[in-house]
């Protein structure tokens, strides 16, 4: 389905990032490499969200802002969980 407006395009891209993030399973993090990979995924998603917000600056509808904020909040929560898991497991930094 094609987006009819630039705001719909932004939402579609943000939704794609959300799908990638939903595939990130913190329970599968067992090593320092797993931790690094998960954090790189989160960092990349965060950068993509910010690029979308920049690209669609003039099209920042409430829906675009809401979706971007939801994703950024999810990323921060996941980072906190990974950090807590990392420290609790005694994995080296």
């Amino acid at each position: 389905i094609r987006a009819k407006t630039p705001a719909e395009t932004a939402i579609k891209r943000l939704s794609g990032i959300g799908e990638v993030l939903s595939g990130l399973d913190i329970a599968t993090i067992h090593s320092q490499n797993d931790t690094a990979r998960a954090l790189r995924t989160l960092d990349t998603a965060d950068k993509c969200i910010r690029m979308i917000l920049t690209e669609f600056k003039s099209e920042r509808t409430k829906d675009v802002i809401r979706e971007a904020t939801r994703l950024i909040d999810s990323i921060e929560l996941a980072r906190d969980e990974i950090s807590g898991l990392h420290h609790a497991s005694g994995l080296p930094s």
Side-chain angles (χ1 to χ4, degrees):
I1 299 173
R2 287 200 161 172
K4 296 175 185 169
T5 68
E8 287 177 354
T9 300
I11 292 290
K12 188 173 181 179
R13 290 181 186 177
L14 291 168
S15 295
I17 293 168
E19 288 179 33
V20 170
L21 291 175
S22 70
L24 185 64
D25 185 4
I26 293 174
T28 63
I29 296 175
H30 301 291
S31 69
Q32 186 174 358
N33 285 340
D34 294 340
T35 300
R37 187 176 312 110
L39 291 173
R40 276 193 308 271
T41 300
L42 295 172
D43 289 343
T44 301
D46 185 65
K47 288 175 185 174
C48 289
I49 293 164
R50 293 179 192 287
M51 286 174 53
I52 290 167
L53 289 174
T54 299
E55 182 179 348
F56 292 94
K57 192 171 193 158
S58 63
E59 300 297 327
R60 287 190 187 177
T61 64
K62 289 179 184 178
D63 290 338
V64 172
I65 297 296
R66 187 180 314 118
E67 182 66 9
T69 301
R70 183 186 69 78
L71 290 171
I72 290 169
D73 290 347
S74 295
I75 289 169
E76 290 304 316
L77 179 63
R79 279 187 183 135
D80 290 347
E81 288 182 40
I82 291 169
S83 178
L85 180 74
H86 180 79
H87 293 298
S89 69
L91 290 172
S93 297

